[in-house]
Structure formats: structure tokens, C-alpha cells
Amino acid sequence: MASTLSVSSLNEQIKTLLETSFEFVSVEGELSRVTKHGSGHIYFTLKDNDSAIKCVMFKGNAARLKFSLEEGAHIILHGALSLYKPRGEYQINAFSAEPYGAGALAVAFEQLKQKLESKGYFDPTRKKSFPKFPQTIILVTSATGAALQDMQRVASGRWPLVKLIVLDVLVQGSSAAGQIADALRYADTLNADAVVVGRGGGSIEDLWAFNEEIVADALFAMSTPVMSAVGHEIDWVISDYVCDMRAPTPSAAMQMLLPDQNELSQSIDEIRYSAYGMITQRLERKREQLLSMQEAFKRHGVEHRLEVQSELVKELRERLNRQMTQRLEQSRREITPLMERLTQSIESTLRQKLFMMTQLTESFSANHPKNKNKSGFAQIAREGKVIDLDVLSVGDRFDAMNDTITVTSEVVNITRHTQRAQEPL
């Protein structure tokens, strides 16, 4: 099922089809219902015995008319079909008009136009595109004409970087067409980015060199993109149809071919500001992402875990120290009375034992036969400790002492006696 179009979409498609298929028409007919508007526009109908079509000639074109459009006049109208979209009505947008039977040049123009069109010279599919930033442009025109000055002035203002090469030719007269054709063929060998062929305005006779077939053939054979810029906006010549693009005036050709340095500078500024804004926004987003990742890393990273474990160890150590301090204090409180009791008990026991030893010593000393006569009695000691004779060996040194004297001796001989029966006390 075919897609459904809106009225506006349909009118837009019809408008595009009409304006591309009938971008230039010449129509013969009788003027009717001529209305000259206060704005300077002229509205009228062109009709014959069977049909009629609405027409409009806007102020700029109407001002260039060499005669007045009057009711019932028989004319030839030159223009292009257009569609008035709001009402869906098509009309002729008139560029120029001439009285019917204007002369042989007009007939010759139409005959050559039809011939070249049949040979495919006007085929839009063969049109070449122009570079956006041309570096070299060749101007095929008169070196003394005002058109050259206009093109140079516009070029220097719009894009001073472009290089202009001028091929000086005659632009009117019987030999002009041949010079123009030769210059075009030579220009095609110079590897330029574009070629502009043209001149300023004039009568149909003045512009006729650009209606010659030899110029059309040279244009058709060119591999370099070429623009036709002949006369004024209302002037149409054969070179306009054959070239890759038509400019309404020579100065307009430079405007169409060259970028505007001011607009480009403004565009660059806008792009730079836009890029700066985008980069700033992206950096801000990345900064936020980085901060978020840093926070996440702090929460889940090794350093955070170590910090947590360190805090935990610190807390456990402090808790252990407190517990140990408490335990030691508690133990100290528990041990102190025990030590006091133990000290008291030891002191008491020692006093008892000392008293008992004193009693025993006194009793032993008083009752032992050997101690009744203390003469010749002595104790022996080694290194300050009292010892028995049984532990001595030959060569040992020892001290013999009594209450009044100490003698240091050395064992030179040991004689052991059989043990006698113990005498009764």
C-alpha cells in the first residue's frame, strides 16, 4: 500500500518537480488581466485560444523591461515554472519579456538550444561539483572589463587566500567566440580548481559570443568545473545551460565559489565554543566519575581495609591493655594481703626455728663431751662455707677457725680411721 502524503508534502514534491524540470521556459501568448502592484511586482495571465497560465514578474525584473506590459499585447515570456505552495497553484516566474517576433537572434538561440539539449549538453547528471575551498580559479574574461574588477574585489573580501589567474579574451565581436573557446581549452590544462567564464551585462548582440556552438563545445569537453557568469540576472545565454553552474552576475560567481572568511571565522568560533563546552561537560562528568570511583575505592580498597583492620587492632590492643591493667590491679589487690600473711608466717616460723636452734645449740654445747673442753676445737670452711673433713681431697685448701683465730691450710695427706663406737652422751 502506497504511503499517504499530506497536502503540504504533495505540493512540496510537485514544486520540486516543476522547478527542476522547467527551470527555464520561453512561452508565447497574449497578456490578460495585467495588474501592476504598488510594490513594483506585476501579476498577469498569459493565454492563447485554448489555455491560460498565471504569471508574476517581480520588482527587480520588471524594472529592467524595455517596454510596458499592456492588456492584449502579444509577447514572448522568459522565466521558470514555480508552485505557490499555500494554494497549490503553479505559475510562471517571469525573468524577462519581449514583443513577439523580436528577430533572427532569438530564433537562432532557440534552435541552438534545442540542438544542444538533444545532444545531452544540458544533462544535469554530467554536472561537476565545485570544491568547497578552491585554491586556484581561472577567470576567462576581458582584462579591461568591469566584470574582472568586480570578481577580484569580491574574492579579496571573501577569501584572500585564493589565487586568481586571468586569461584575457575578447567578450564581444566576431572573433570573441573563438578566443573564449581557445582560452577554455587552455584553462582545462592548468589543473585549477575552477574556471569562471563571463562578462558584464549588455544587449543580446553584445552577449552573443556566449551563444556560439564553438563555446558550448569547449565547455562540454572540459574536465575542470566551470561556471558561467554572463551579464545580469535576467540575461540567459547558451553557456549558462552547458556549464556546471550558472551565476547571475560575475560578482555573484565569486560569492558562490568562495567561502566567506567572516562567516567561516564565526563558524569556527561557534565550533570552538561548542567543542569547549562539550569538552568541559565531558571533563566534568569524568571528574565526577573519578571522584565516585575514588570514594568506592576508599570504601572497598585495600587501603581502606587496612585502615579498618588497623583501627580494629588498635581497639583490641587498647581493650587488652585495659583488661590486663584491670587483671593486674585485681591480682595485686589479691596478692598483697597474701604476701603480708606469707611474710608474717615466714617471720614467725623463722623466729620459732631460730629459737629452737638456739635452744638445741646451747643444749648441745653444754652436754657434748668434746665441747666441755674447748681447747683445740675448730671448724673448717671452704670459700666461706662450713664443710666436713670427708669432702676434702689432697691438694684442697681450706680454713680452720675457732673463736679467736683462722688458719688457712692445704691437704697434703688423708688417713681414714675405722669408726669407733659412738660414745654415749
Side-chain angles (χ1 to χ4, degrees), residues 140-350:
V140 179
T141 188
S142 172
T144 59
L148 175 61
Q149 297 178 10
D150 291 340
M151 289 188 285
Q152 291 174 333
R153 174 180 52 79
V154 174
S156 63
R158 289 182 66 86
W159 195 247
L161 298 177
V162 70
K163 178 181 179 182
L164 300 179
I165 299 176
V166 180
L167 299 183
D168 184 23
V169 296
L170 293 175
V171 291
Q172 69 182 66
S174 59
S175 60
Q179 288 191 20
I180 294 171
D182 292 340
L184 288 172
R185 285 188 287 267
Y186 175 64
D188 203 29
T189 67
L190 300 180
N191 297 320
D193 297 304
V195 175
V196 176
V197 57
R199 57 155 290 164
S203 65
I204 187 172
E205 290 82 7
D206 294 336
L207 306 180
W208 194 255
F210 298 92
N211 288 324
E212 295 284 357
E213 189 169 0
I214 187 175
V215 174
D217 291 339
L219 289 170
F220 184 76
M222 292 185 68
S223 58
T224 306
V226 59
M227 179 176 289
S228 176
V230 180
H232 300 297
E233 184 177 357
I234 62 171
D235 299 319
W236 282 77
V237 291
I238 292 297
S239 63
D240 293 336
Y241 296 99
V242 183
C243 69
D244 299 300
M245 185 180 295
R246 173 188 181 264
T249 62
S251 57
M254 293 296 99
Q255 293 175 347
M256 297 168 65
L257 280 175
L258 297 175
D260 187 341
Q261 60 178 343
N262 295 324
E263 292 181 359
L264 187 61
S265 177
Q266 183 177 352
S267 298
I268 292 174
D269 288 340
E270 292 176 355
I271 293 172
R272 183 172 67 249
Y273 294 147
S274 177
Y276 177 79
M278 293 173 61
I279 292 172
T280 301
Q281 292 177 1
R282 183 164 295 183
L283 288 175
E284 182 63 23
R285 289 197 297 269
K286 294 301 181 183
R287 188 185 70 82
E288 293 176 356
Q289 292 177 2
L290 179 60
L291 291 176
S292 178
M293 293 173 64
Q294 288 176 340
E295 291 298 326
F297 180 77
K298 289 180 179 179
R299 292 193 300 270
H300 306 292
V302 175
E303 292 182 356
H304 178 70
R305 294 181 181 179
L306 288 175
E307 183 179 352
V308 171
Q309 295 298 323
S310 176
E311 291 294 329
L312 180 60
V313 169
K314 181 179 179 182
E315 182 181 350
L316 291 174
R317 182 168 58 246
E318 292 176 353
R319 186 186 303 174
L320 178 61
N321 289 336
R322 289 195 300 270
Q323 291 179 353
M324 291 179 64
T325 301
Q326 294 174 357
R327 188 68 57 85
L328 288 173
E329 181 64 22
Q330 181 179 357
S331 299
R332 187 185 65 77
R333 290 195 299 269
E334 293 175 352
I335 289 173
T336 298
L338 292 176
M339 290 296 294
E340 292 176 353
R341 289 196 297 270
L342 178 61
T343 300
Q344 294 174 358
S345 176
I346 291 173
E347 291 176 352
S348 175
T349 302
L350 286 176

Side-chain angles (χ1 to χ4, degrees), residues 314-413:
K314 181 179 179 182
E315 182 181 350
L316 291 174
R317 182 168 58 246
E318 292 176 353
R319 186 186 303 174
L320 178 61
N321 289 336
R322 289 195 300 270
Q323 291 179 353
M324 291 179 64
T325 301
Q326 294 174 357
R327 188 68 57 85
L328 288 173
E329 181 64 22
Q330 181 179 357
S331 299
R332 187 185 65 77
R333 290 195 299 269
E334 293 175 352
I335 289 173
T336 298
L338 292 176
M339 290 296 294
E340 292 176 353
R341 289 196 297 270
L342 178 61
T343 300
Q344 294 174 358
S345 176
I346 291 173
E347 291 176 352
S348 175
T349 302
L350 286 176
R351 285 193 298 271
Q352 292 176 1
K353 295 298 183 183
L354 181 60
F355 177 77
M356 293 174 64
M357 288 180 65
T358 301
Q359 294 295 322
L360 288 173
T361 300
E362 292 175 353
S363 174
F364 179 77
S365 297
N367 296 321
H368 197 283
K370 293 181 179 181
N371 292 334
K372 290 180 180 180
N373 184 8
K374 291 182 179 180
S375 62
F377 174 78
Q379 291 181 330
I380 61 173
R382 186 172 58 187
E383 297 178 354
K385 295 181 180 180
V386 177
I387 61 173
D388 292 332
L389 290 175
D390 293 340
V391 301
L392 295 174
S393 301
V394 176
D396 289 345
R397 294 177 65 86
F398 64 92
D399 295 325
M401 66 192 79
N402 59 17
D403 293 338
T404 61
I405 191 170
T406 298
V407 179
T408 301
S409 304
E410 181 179 344
V411 179
V412 294
N413 184 36

